[in-house]
Coordinates of all heavy atoms in Angstrom, one line a residue:
K18 N -26.0 14.3 -25.3 CA -26.9 13.4 -26.1 C -28.2 14.0 -26.4 O -28.8 13.9 -27.5 CB -27.0 12.1 -25.4 CG -25.8 11.2 -25.5 CD -26.0 9.9 -24.7 CE -24.8 9.0 -24.6 NZ -25.0 7.8 -23.9
I19 N -28.8 14.7 -25.3 CA -30.1 15.3 -25.5 C -30.1 16.4 -26.5 O -30.9 16.5 -27.4 CB -30.6 15.8 -24.1 CG1 -30.9 14.7 -23.2 CG2 -31.8 16.8 -24.3 CD1 -31.2 15.0 -21.8
S22 N -29.7 15.1 -29.9 CA -31.0 14.5 -30.4 C -32.0 15.6 -30.9 O -32.7 15.5 -31.8 CB -31.6 13.6 -29.3 OG -30.7 12.6 -29.0
L23 N -32.0 16.7 -30.0 CA -32.9 17.8 -30.4 C -32.6 18.4 -31.7 O -33.5 18.7 -32.5 CB -32.8 18.9 -29.2 CG -33.4 18.5 -27.9 CD1 -33.2 19.6 -26.9 CD2 -34.9 18.2 -28.0
L26 N -33.4 15.8 -34.6 CA -34.9 15.7 -34.8 C -35.4 17.0 -35.3 O -36.4 17.0 -36.1 CB -35.5 15.3 -33.5 CG -35.3 13.8 -33.1 CD1 -35.8 13.6 -31.7 CD2 -36.0 12.9 -34.1
M110 N -39.1 21.5 -20.7 CA -38.3 20.3 -20.3 C -36.8 20.4 -20.7 O -35.9 20.2 -19.8 CB -38.9 19.1 -21.0 CG -38.0 17.8 -20.8 SD -38.4 16.6 -22.1 CE -37.7 17.4 -23.6
Y114 N -33.1 20.7 -18.4 CA -32.0 19.7 -18.6 C -30.7 20.3 -19.0 O -29.6 19.9 -18.7 CB -32.5 18.7 -19.7 CG -33.5 17.7 -19.2 CD1 -34.2 16.9 -20.2 CD2 -33.9 17.5 -17.9 CE1 -35.2 16.0 -19.8 CE2 -34.9 16.6 -17.6 CZ -35.5 15.9 -18.5 OH -36.4 15.0 -18.1
N164 N -42.5 15.5 -32.5 CA -42.4 16.2 -31.3 C -42.5 15.3 -30.1 O -41.8 15.4 -29.1 CB -43.5 17.3 -31.2 CG -43.1 18.5 -32.0 OD1 -42.0 18.7 -32.3 ND2 -44.2 19.3 -32.4
F165 N -43.4 14.3 -30.2 CA -43.6 13.2 -29.2 C -42.3 12.5 -29.1 O -41.8 12.2 -27.9 CB -44.8 12.4 -29.4 CG -46.1 12.9 -29.0 CD1 -47.1 13.0 -29.9 CD2 -46.2 13.3 -27.7 CE1 -48.4 13.5 -29.5 CE2 -47.5 13.8 -27.3 CZ -48.5 13.9 -28.2
L166 N -41.7 12.1 -30.2 CA -40.4 11.4 -30.2 C -39.3 12.2 -29.5 O -38.5 11.6 -28.8 CB -40.0 11.0 -31.7 CG -38.8 10.2 -31.8 CD1 -38.8 8.9 -31.1 CD2 -38.4 10.0 -33.3
T167 N -39.3 13.4 -29.8 CA -38.2 14.3 -29.2 C -38.4 14.3 -27.7 O -37.4 14.1 -26.9 CB -38.4 15.7 -29.7 OG1 -38.3 15.8 -31.1 CG2 -37.3 16.6 -29.1
V168 N -39.6 14.4 -27.2 CA -39.8 14.3 -25.7 C -39.4 13.0 -25.1 O -38.7 12.9 -24.1 CB -41.3 14.5 -25.4 CG1 -41.6 14.3 -23.9 CG2 -41.7 16.0 -25.8
I169 N -39.7 11.9 -25.9 CA -39.4 10.5 -25.4 C -37.9 10.4 -25.3 O -37.3 9.9 -24.3 CB -40.0 9.5 -26.3 CG1 -41.5 9.5 -26.1 CG2 -39.4 8.1 -25.9 CD1 -42.3 8.6 -27.1
V170 N -37.2 10.7 -26.4 CA -35.7 10.6 -26.5 C -35.0 11.4 -25.4 O -34.1 10.9 -24.7 CB -35.2 11.0 -27.9 CG1 -33.7 11.1 -27.9 CG2 -35.7 10.0 -28.9
A171 N -35.4 12.6 -25.2 CA -34.8 13.5 -24.2 C -34.9 12.9 -22.8 O -34.0 12.8 -22.0 CB -35.3 14.9 -24.3
H172 N -36.1 12.4 -22.5 CA -36.4 11.8 -21.2 C -35.6 10.5 -21.0 O -35.1 10.2 -19.9 CB -37.9 11.6 -21.0 CG -38.6 12.8 -20.5 ND1 -39.0 13.8 -21.3 CD2 -38.9 13.1 -19.2 CE1 -39.6 14.7 -20.6 NE2 -39.6 14.4 -19.3
Y173 N -35.5 9.7 -22.1 CA -34.8 8.5 -22.1 C -33.3 8.7 -21.7 O -32.8 8.1 -20.9 CB -34.9 7.8 -23.4 CG -34.0 6.6 -23.5 CD1 -34.3 5.4 -22.9 CD2 -32.8 6.7 -24.3 CE1 -33.4 4.3 -23.0 CE2 -31.9 5.6 -24.4 CZ -32.2 4.4 -23.7 OH -31.4 3.3 -23.9
F174 N -32.7 9.6 -22.5 CA -31.2 9.9 -22.2 C -31.0 10.4 -20.8 O -30.0 10.0 -20.1 CB -30.7 10.9 -23.2 CG -30.4 10.3 -24.6 CD1 -30.8 10.9 -25.7 CD2 -29.7 9.0 -24.6 CE1 -30.5 10.4 -27.0 CE2 -29.5 8.5 -25.9 CZ -29.9 9.1 -27.0
F175 N -31.8 11.3 -20.4 CA -31.6 11.9 -19.0 C -31.9 10.8 -17.9 O -31.2 10.7 -17.0 CB -32.6 13.1 -18.8 CG -32.2 13.9 -17.6 CD1 -31.2 14.8 -17.6 CD2 -32.8 13.7 -16.4 CE1 -30.8 15.6 -16.5 CE2 -32.5 14.4 -15.2 CZ -31.5 15.4 -15.3
N176 N -32.9 10.0 -18.1 CA -33.2 9.0 -17.1 C -32.1 8.0 -17.1 O -31.8 7.4 -16.0 CB -34.6 8.3 -17.5 CG -35.0 7.2 -16.5 OD1 -35.3 7.5 -15.4 ND2 -34.9 6.0 -16.9

Side-chain angles (χ1 to χ4, degrees):
K18 290 179 181 179
I19 291 171
S22 301
L23 290 176
L26 289 170
M110 171 203 66
Y114 287 168
N164 284 337
F165 277 126
L166 180 61
T167 304
V168 173
I169 292 169
V170 168
H172 276 81
Y173 169 77
F174 283 134
F175 193 83
N176 182 70

